Each structure stands twice: as structure tokens, then as C-alpha cells.
């Protein structure tokens, strides 16, 4: 049988199977006891399809460790154990989200996803899982950066828009989709279409394309379309907008007090654009209060009264998103174990509230970490069935929601037969992180560079001595090595803020001709630094500087360098808003929007460094080329930076 005809028959049978399940779920009033019993079983299947689980860690009893008087699991789930395969098959759960801890190699990821899908298609429903990941690029990239193409992120793309239009949005969407599809993912929680209008935003900042809603809408739609053309469903997030918050919803409950006019013109515009273009298949809710959209309240589990977050608001998710904006796709929550929800709701109450509000899928409502936790899923489904029976959850609404999920799943196409596994692994090895993708990754890093100021200190001359002050040791090594690669005659030394010693840094700075400081605002997490330095610091008994102390020390050293006639360069590695603080002490100001580093082993077979392991990152390679005059900066700031003098501008300096 030819392959196109076979695929058509397969898709048709799949669609017919889904239709039969939906018809079985609807039931009828005249059904007898046996039919009602079967309907109850099907209702459970329907409810299970509305759950997406986090399987980041999973432990056998001997793998549990003692932490603060309790046993916890920190063993990454990289192979599917029998009990989790049985859970997927028996429960008919609708989706799984994977994280960096689950992902070690191309072959391993393909097999893990393959095994999970095999368990799913053997279930009663026969429906494939949504296997999802947060692979935005830039700050949020779960696949190991030495394996997969991660790019510099959305604000870097925004910086290229004036010169390159939608090119990098389209190409990053295409490559992210190609690589994820090859790995067995069918759902990516990207792109981020929040409009970042708050310089103090701790969680979005460079994850946004910029501060202009039209720009964000255009680039977001372009990236989404390109990704979905590769067979990976994209998720627009975080509705109705996370761009003007100063609280991270991972740790608290943010509030946005925009007027209705601003909400429509700014926050909602990127979502509306994608809906109007027929691109929006899934939208993720935000755990954020929007009083102008819904000022109704709820009672928290400690008895206090608060305004409902969007995730729990029927006015926002049903009346606004579906009714007024015309969205017909699937609504998924942001993670329900985030503090913006978990501090105020018990897990089952959070699920019921968000389903009643209009969400279709509850993301990460609880954690499966050991065999006993599998019962949490069964207990949750019991409680949800009871909520339907008691009228606290509408059965009609559940079934309408499941129909939306089924319709979206019918658009997924995969082959999970055993004889395809090795073939799929080989294909993925040829696709993921291939040289053409890496070239585009480097091109984005270079073309997104913004040179905001240069008082004739760039390029750095070959006979100059350069001292770097970097956020951590890995970034020291990355820029040192990148500079040496561009100009082997440079003398380069480096201090880092994570293991900061003022007198030593001062000494090196005074011996140098050029003092370059690179900083990350908001401060990077331990995860972003890679974890190794935390161990080193603990062993040495060194406490890293607080962010406030880091900023004070940077300002002091830049001022001292200027007083001693050193050339001073400040590089913003994340959100460029911080430039205004250091502008008066800096002869040059540069924005990269990215700072990520990974290690690569350049073996002797490649004739590089005799097998030395090097710290590398596209942003640092691009920065080194700019500093040594090999390229010019052609990007423009996609956000406004407060000016302290006329020299701080957003114009390109050629």
C-alpha cells in the first residue's frame, strides 16, 4: 500500500475512533444502568484527558534521599519505568510535560517519548499524549544547549526586526519545530507574546519580543506559524498578558492595573492577532489578577479574600477569550503548582476552579515522584467525578472541553511502531543541532547586537590588556576563549561576580587598559549558572554577592576605572534597562539579550585544543567579534531605556 493512502486511512480511522469516544461520552437521558455505568467510566477518561503531568523526577524506594526530615526524590526520569507506563495506559491521562532533567541525549529523548506514546495508544481511548516542553529559546530552553539549537531568545529577535523583518522569527520557529518534532514532541509552550512594558519585570523581560504590541503580535504570529508548519502545536502565553508585572507568578500573585483601553491595545493584541489569522490552537493562562477584566473575589485556603487570577476567571477565559475574542482552541493553565496558585488553593480546588472558568487542560496540578504518588492521579479523578456528580463541575462543559482536546489531537500524526524507533533516532540525530541550524543561531546572536554607545574605545586594539568582570566563571571562560579566538595577541584576564573578591578585581583592573563589565539583570538563578559553581562555593565557604551588592560593586569599579583613565565597556547580557545606571561611567554600551553558555569537547580529531573542554555560547562569540572589530552591531533596542545623557540612544552606531 502506498504511504500517502496508508496515512490517510490511519488518520481517518483515528478521527472515527475519536468521534466514537465523543459520542459515547455524550450519552442520553434514556440510557439504562449499564450505559450509565459505561458513561461513568468514559467520563473518567474524559477527565483524565484534561490533565497534563510533570514527571521530572521519579524514584524507586532506594533512590529517595533525606531532606529536612522528609524523603524526597531528585532522580531524573530519563527512562519510562513500568509503573509509569501502566499509569499512562490505565488512566488515559492526556499529556506529559518534560523538563531539562528528563533530557540527556537525542537517542534517549526519542526513546522516552516513543515509550510514553506506546503506552498512551494502548490505553482505552487510544489517544496520543500531548508530549510538551518549554522550548522558547533564550532564557527558557529545556533541551541541553550542546545538543539542540536554542537561539538568543525573543528580545534578540525583536532587535533584528527593523533590519530583517520577520526573518528570524520565522526561521527560529521553523527550526524549533523541526527539532522538537524529530525528538517526538508534539506541543511546545511557546511563543511568549507578553508585551514587556515594565523594566522591573522579573519573569518575562527578554522572553518578550519587545514593548510595542504590534511588533510582538507580528513576530509572535510569524514564529507560531512556522513552528506549527513542522507539526508541533505552539502555545501562546501568558493570557491575558504578563508583560507589566513586578512579581513573578512562580513566587506570588501579580496584579495588572491597566485600563480597558490599554488591555485591548497592548496586552490582548498579540493573542487577538493570532486568533484572527487562524493560527492560535492553544493558549496558556496567566496566574495574574486583572481587576479591570474581573474584580470578583475568591476565598483562599487561609480564609482571606482576593481578586480572582485569570486562571480562575470565567469572565476572562470564557466570556472574553472565547466569547469576545473568538478563540475556539484549547486553553491550558500555567503550572498549577506555582505559588501564584498553590499558596491559595488546594490542588483539587484549583483544578475545579480553572475548569469551571473555561480551561481545558490543568498543567502540573500535582507531582508524581514515586510509586505511591500514582494514586494521586486516581484520587484526583475520583474527586473530579464526584464534583461532576454533585454539580460543582459541569458535565456538559467537561465534554465540550474534551471535544476541543480531541479535535486538536486529531491533527497530530506519528508512527509509534517498534521498527520505527531506531529510524526515528537516526533522523533526529541528523536534525537536532545540525550545522545549518547552528549557523542561524550564530547569525541571530550577531545581528541582534545593539551598540548603544561608543566613545572611540571600540574596537579593542591588539596590544591592549583587557580585564573582564563577568557574572560567573563559565561566562568568564566563554568570553576569554572567544576573544582569544578572534585575536590571539590580546592579553585577557577575568574576575567573576559569583566568586567576587574586590581587591583582586581592583588589582587586575588597574593593570589593564580596558575594563569590561558584563551583567545580568534580573539576576540569574542557580539553574542558569549550571549548578557546578554552587558546589564549588559551598566547598570554599564563599557566599555569593547579593544582586544589590553586585550592582554597587560594578558601579564603584567602573567609576574607579574612569578615574584612572581606563577604557570602560558595559555589556548588558539580559534586559538592557540597567544601562542607564552605568552610562556615565562607560565609554561603550552594548546589549546582547543573551548570555547562555554550554561546554563542548573540541577533540584532537577536530584539531582543536587537543581535546580540551571549552565554554562556548553564541552571544559571547558574537560579542568577541564586535569587540575586536570583525563585525558591526546592526540591532536596535526593542524596548525603551531611560536616558541619563544625550549619548544614551537607541540608534545604530555604524
Amino acid at each position: 500500500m502506498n504511504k500517502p493512502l496508508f496515512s490517510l486511512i490511519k488518520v481517518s480511522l483515528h478521527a472515527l475512533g475519536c468521534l466514537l469516544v465523543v459520542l459515547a461520552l455524550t450519552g442520553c437521558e434514556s440510557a439504562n444502568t449499564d450505559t450509565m455505568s459505561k458513561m461513568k467510566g468514559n467520563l473518567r477518561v474524559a477527565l483524565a484527558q484534561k490533565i497534563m503531568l510533570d514527571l521530572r523526577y521519579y524514584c524507586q524506594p532506594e533512590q529517595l534521599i533525606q531532606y529536612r526530615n522528609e524523603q524526597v526524590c531528585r532522580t531524573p526520569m530519563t527512562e519510562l519505568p513500568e509503573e509509569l507506563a501502566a499509569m499512562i495506559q490505565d488512566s488515559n491521562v492526556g499529556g506529559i510535560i518534560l523538563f531539562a532533567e528528563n533530557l540527556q541525549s537525542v537517542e534517549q529523548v526519542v526513546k522516552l517519548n516513543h515509550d510514553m506514546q506506546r503506552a498512551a495508544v494502548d490505553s482505552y481511548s487510544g489517544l496520543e499524549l500531548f508530549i510538551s516542553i518549554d522550548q522558547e529559546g533564550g532564557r527558557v530552553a529545556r533541551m541541553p544547549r550542546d545538543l539542540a539549537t536554542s537561539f538568543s531568545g525573543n528580545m534578540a529577535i525583536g532587535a533584528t526586526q527593523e533590519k530583517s523583518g520577520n526573518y528570524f522569527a520565522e526561521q527560529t520557529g521553523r527550526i524549533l519545530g523541526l527539532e522538537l518534532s524529530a525528538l517526538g514532541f508534539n506541543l511546545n509552550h511557546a511563543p511568549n507574546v507578553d508585551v514587556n512594558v515594565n523594566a522591573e519585570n522579573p519573569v518575562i523581560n527578554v522572553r518578550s519580543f519587545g514593548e510595542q504590541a504590534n511588533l510582538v503580535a507580528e513576530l509572535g504570529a510569524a514564529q507560531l506559524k512556522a513552528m506549527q508548519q513542522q507539526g508541533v502545536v505552539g502555545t501562546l502565553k501568558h493570557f491575558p498578558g504578563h508583560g507589566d508585572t513586578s512579581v513573578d507568578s512562580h513566587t506570588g500573585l501579580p496584579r495588572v492595573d491597566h485600563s480597558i483601553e490599554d488591555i485591548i491595545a497592548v496586552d490582548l493584541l498579540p493573542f487577538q492577532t493570532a486568533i484572527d489569522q487562524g493560527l492560535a490552537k492553544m493558549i496558556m493562562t496567566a496566574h495574574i489578577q486583572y481587576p479591570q477584566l474581573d474584580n470578583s473575589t475568591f476565598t483562599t485556603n487561609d480564609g482571606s479574600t482576593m481578586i480572582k487570577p485569570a486562571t480562575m476567571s470565567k469572565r476572562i477565559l470564557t466570556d472574553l477569550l472565547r466569547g469576545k475574542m473568538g478563540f475556539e482552541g484549547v486553553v491550558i493553565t500555567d503550572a498549577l503548582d506555582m505559588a501564584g496558585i498553590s499558596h491559595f488553593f488546594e490542588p483539587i480546588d484549583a483544578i475545579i476552579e480553572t475548569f469551571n472558568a473555561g480551561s481545558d487542560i490543568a498543567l502540573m496540578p500535582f507531582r508524581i515522584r514515586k510509586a505511591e504518588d500514582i494514586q494521586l492521579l486516581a484520587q484526583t479523578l475520583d474527586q473530579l467525578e464526584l464534583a461532576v456528580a454533585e454539580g460543582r463541575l459541569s458535565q456538559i462543559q467537561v465534554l465540550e472541553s474534551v471535544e476541543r482536546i480531541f479535535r486538536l489531537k486529531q491533527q497530530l500524526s506519528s508512527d509509534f511502531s517498534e521498527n520505527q524507533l531506531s529510524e526515528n533516532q537516526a533522523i533526529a540525530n541528523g536534525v537536532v543541532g545540525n550545522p545549518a541550524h547552528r549557523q542561524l543561531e550564530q547569525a541571530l546572536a550577531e545581528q541582534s547586537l545593539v551598540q548603544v554607545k561608543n566613545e572611540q574605545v571600540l574596537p579593542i586594539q591588539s596590544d591592549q590588556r583587557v580585564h573582564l568582570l563577568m557574572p560567573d566563571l563559565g561566562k568568564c571562560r566563554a568570553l576569554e576563549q572567544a576573544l582569544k579566538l578572534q585575536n590571539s595577541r590580546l592579553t585577557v584576564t577575568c574576575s567573576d561576580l559569583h566568586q567576587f573578591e574586590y581587591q583582586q578585581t581592583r588589582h587586575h583592573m588597574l593593570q589593564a587598559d580596558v575594563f569590561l563589565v558584563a551583567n545580568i539583570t534580573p539576576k540569574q538563578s542557580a539553574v542558569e549558572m549550571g549548578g557546578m559553581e554552587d558546589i564549588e562555593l559551598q566547598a570554599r565557604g564563599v557566599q555569593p554577592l547579593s544582586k544589590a551588592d553586585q550592582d554597587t560593586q560594578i558601579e564603584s569599579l567602573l567609576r574607579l576605572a574612569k578615574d584612572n583613565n581606563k577604557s570602560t565597556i558595559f555589556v548588558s547580557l539580559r534586559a538592557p534597562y540597567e544601562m542607564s545606571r552605568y552610562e556615565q561611567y562607560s565609554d561603550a554600551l552594548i546589549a546582547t539579550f543573551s548570555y547562555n553558555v554550554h561546554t563542548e569537547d573540541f577533540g584532537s580529531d577536530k584539531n582543536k585544543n587537543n581535546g580540551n573542554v571549552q565554554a562556548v555560547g553564541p552571544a559571547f562569540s558574537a560579542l568577541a567579534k564586535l569587540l575586536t572589530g570583525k563585525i558591526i552591531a546592526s540591532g536596535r533596542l526593542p524596548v525603551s531605556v531611560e536616558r541619563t545623557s544625550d549619548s544614551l540612544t537607541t540608534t545604530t552606531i555604524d
Side-chain angles (χ1 to χ4, degrees):
M1 184 181 294
N2 71 39
K3 192 167 184 179
L5 179 59
F6 177 78
S7 298
L8 179 61
I9 293 171
K10 180 182 175 184
V11 171
S12 298
L13 289 173
H14 183 69
L16 177 61
C18 291
L19 177 61
L20 290 173
V21 173
V22 173
L23 290 173
L25 287 170
T26 58
C28 63
E29 292 183 3
S30 60
N32 58 30
T33 303
D34 289 338
T35 304
M36 289 296 292
S37 176
K38 186 174 182 180
M39 181 179 176
K40 182 179 178 181
N42 284 335
L43 176 64
R44 190 178 185 87
V45 171
L47 291 165
Q49 283 292 310
K50 290 167 61 62
I51 303 293
M52 183 172 288
L53 295 176
D54 157 26
L55 301 179
R56 190 178 327 206
Y57 304 108
Y58 189 78
C59 288
Q60 301 301 329
E62 65 274 11
Q63 294 173 311
L64 295 171
I65 60 175
Q66 197 72 19
Y67 180 72
R68 293 183 178 176
N69 299 320
E70 65 175 321
Q71 287 190 315
V72 298
C73 176
R74 286 296 181 268
T75 301
M77 194 278 289
T78 56
E79 297 180 359
L80 188 67
E82 291 182 5
E83 55 267 39
L84 289 185
M87 178 195 73
I88 292 170
Q89 181 176 339
D90 296 343
S91 70
N92 293 271
V93 68
I96 303 293
I97 182 170
L98 297 182
F99 290 89
E101 292 84 352
N102 301 113
L103 314 171
Q104 295 181 334
S105 71
V106 169
E107 293 87 350
Q108 172 264 324
V109 174
V110 173
K111 186 175 190 309
L112 176 60
N113 288 341
H114 170 93
D115 290 346
M116 290 193 296
Q117 289 291 19
R118 286 299 305 162
V121 298
D122 287 340
S123 68
Y124 174 80
S125 72
L127 290 172
E128 298 173 16
L129 288 167
F130 284 130
I131 301 183
S132 72
I133 188 173
D134 292 309
Q135 189 76 357
E136 298 176 14
R139 279 182 60 192
V140 180
R142 307 305 188 194
M143 279 297 298
R145 294 175 190 273
D146 61 326
L147 297 178
T149 315
S150 301
F151 299 107
S152 294
N154 285 354
M155 195 167 283
I157 295 171
T160 69
Q161 200 272 344
E162 183 173 289
K163 179 180 178 181
S164 301
N166 295 346
Y167 174 77
F168 283 106
E170 292 167 349
Q171 291 303 309
T172 56
R174 179 181 68 85
I175 290 173
L176 289 170
L178 274 172
E179 295 195 4
L180 291 178
S181 179
L183 289 163
F185 292 99
N186 52 33
L187 175 60
N188 187 17
H189 298 305
N192 186 309
V193 291
D194 299 310
V195 183
N196 201 83
V197 294
N198 188 334
E200 302 300 321
N201 197 322
V203 64
I204 302 301
N205 50 79
V206 291
R207 295 168 64 191
S208 168
F209 291 106
E211 67 184 10
Q212 297 298 321
N214 288 329
L215 174 80
V216 173
E218 183 177 345
L219 295 176
Q223 190 179 72
L224 177 66
K225 181 178 180 179
M227 186 187 307
Q228 292 184 157
Q229 286 174 338
Q230 306 308 318
V232 174
V233 175
T235 308
L236 295 169
K237 60 185 186 184
H238 306 80
F239 185 83
H242 210 316
D244 190 12
T245 60
S246 55
V247 174
D248 184 347
S249 52
H250 291 84
T251 58
L253 186 56
R255 171 173 168 153
V256 174
D257 286 304
H258 287 180
S259 66
I260 289 291
E261 293 75 18
D262 285 343
I263 292 170
I264 293 171
V266 178
D267 302 301
L268 300 182
L269 181 64
F271 298 96
Q272 189 69 70
T273 298
I275 292 169
D276 292 345
Q277 293 180 14
L279 297 171
K281 297 181 179 181
M282 183 175 286
I283 289 178
M284 179 178 285
T285 69
H287 306 324
I288 299 177
Q289 297 168 328
Y290 263 81
Q292 292 299 317
L293 296 178
D294 187 356
N295 62 1
S296 61
T297 60
F298 69 96
T299 302
T300 70
N301 52 20
D302 66 1
S304 59
T305 301
M306 298 185 68
I307 293 174
K308 285 183 179 178
T311 305
M312 308 298 180
S313 170
K314 187 173 184 179
R315 293 182 191 175
I316 294 176
L317 299 186
T318 299
D319 299 344
L320 172 62
L321 180 56
R322 295 203 186 279
K324 294 182 180 179
M325 298 178 69
F327 180 60
E328 297 179 350
V330 172
V331 175
I332 187 170
T333 71
D334 206 342
L336 292 178
D337 63 358
M338 290 163 57
I341 296 298
S342 63
H343 281 184
F344 308 108
F345 292 92
E346 295 299 326
I348 187 61
D349 296 326
I351 297 171
I352 292 172
E353 286 291 330
T354 194
F355 285 170
N356 281 330
S359 294
D360 297 303
I361 297 176
L363 174 62
M364 298 167 59
F366 48 82
R367 297 170 182 174
I368 305 292
R369 296 292 181 258
K370 51 188 183 298
E372 304 92 276
D373 294 341
I374 294 173
Q375 291 304 309
L376 289 173
L377 178 56
Q379 292 165 8
T380 298
L381 295 176
D382 288 342
Q383 291 172 301
L384 290 174
E385 285 188 287
L386 180 61
V388 171
E390 294 177 346
R392 292 183 293 124
L393 190 59
S394 164
Q395 181 170 344
I396 293 175
Q397 192 170 338
V398 168
L399 300 180
E400 289 175 346
S401 175
V402 171
E403 286 189 57
R404 287 190 288 269
I405 293 170
F406 286 165
R407 284 199 300 269
L408 186 52
K409 286 194 172 185
Q410 287 173 45
Q411 299 176 35
L412 308 176
S413 59
S414 300
D415 189 340
F416 306 109
S417 62
E418 290 294 339
N419 61 0
Q420 291 293 317
L421 177 57
S422 59
E423 180 182 337
N424 290 341
Q425 288 172 326
I427 291 171
N429 268 319
V431 170
V432 178
N434 72 34
H437 296 178
R438 293 296 193 186
Q439 287 172 10
L440 188 82
E441 182 179 41
Q442 188 60 45
L444 173 59
E446 293 176 12
Q447 294 184 41
S448 61
L449 289 173
V450 179
Q451 184 173 286
V452 175
K453 176 183 177 182
N454 180 19
E455 295 185 349
Q456 300 181 336
V457 298
L458 296 177
I460 297 171
Q461 303 303 308
S462 298
D463 60 349
Q464 291 184 306
R465 295 165 296 175
V466 182
H467 186 66
L468 311 174
L469 178 58
M470 303 296 290
D472 58 62
L473 187 59
K475 294 169 185 58
C476 266
R477 290 171 177 166
L479 187 53
E480 280 180 312
Q481 291 162 355
L483 284 169
K484 288 288 190 181
L485 185 63
Q486 297 303 321
N487 189 337
S488 60
R489 293 175 293 172
L490 280 176
T491 301
V492 184
T493 56
C494 190
S495 304
D496 78 88
L497 288 162
H498 198 230
Q499 303 178 82
F500 184 73
E501 295 177 3
Y502 179 83
Q503 291 300 329
Q504 185 180 68
T505 303
R506 180 180 183 276
H507 169 77
H508 286 302
M509 179 270 291
L510 291 174
Q511 299 300 310
D513 303 301
V514 179
F515 181 47
L516 182 150
V517 178
N519 198 32
I520 295 173
T521 297
K523 185 180 180 181
Q524 63 183 343
S525 67
V527 172
E528 291 171 303
M529 288 182 281
M532 284 305 297
E533 282 191 289
D534 292 333
I535 298 172
E536 294 174 10
L537 290 174
Q538 290 172 6
R540 294 172 50 197
V542 177
Q543 290 297 319
L545 291 176
S546 68
K547 185 66 176 71
D549 287 340
Q550 285 185 8
D551 294 341
T552 300
Q553 297 290 5
I554 288 171
E555 189 171 334
S556 172
L557 285 163
L558 282 170
R559 185 188 300 114
L560 181 62
K562 286 286 286 182
D563 290 343
N564 284 272
N565 298 315
K566 308 298 180 184
S567 297
T568 55
I569 303 168
F570 180 79
V571 181
S572 168
L573 295 175
R574 184 182 273 178
Y577 307 105
E578 63 181 332
M579 285 183 172
S580 57
R581 174 168 183 164
Y582 307 111
E583 185 271 334
Q584 62 181 312
Y585 311 115
S586 303
D587 298 315
L589 293 166
I590 300 167
T592 67
F593 312 102
S594 181
Y595 52 85
N596 298 106
V597 173
H598 63 272
T599 58
E600 288 189 11
D601 188 354
F602 295 96
S604 56
D605 58 314
K606 297 179 182 179
N607 197 30
K608 292 184 179 180
N609 295 319
N610 297 317
N612 288 339
V613 173
Q614 293 190 9
V616 298
F620 296 104
S621 297
L623 179 59
K625 290 181 180 180
L626 175 63
L627 293 171
T628 56
K630 303 296 177 62
I631 61 173
I632 62 171
S634 59
R636 287 181 180 265
L637 293 179
V639 294
S640 300
V641 175
E642 183 179 346
R643 302 178 181 184
T644 57
S645 75
D646 291 339
S647 63
L648 186 54
T649 68
T650 60
T651 57
T652 304
I653 300 173
D654 296 325

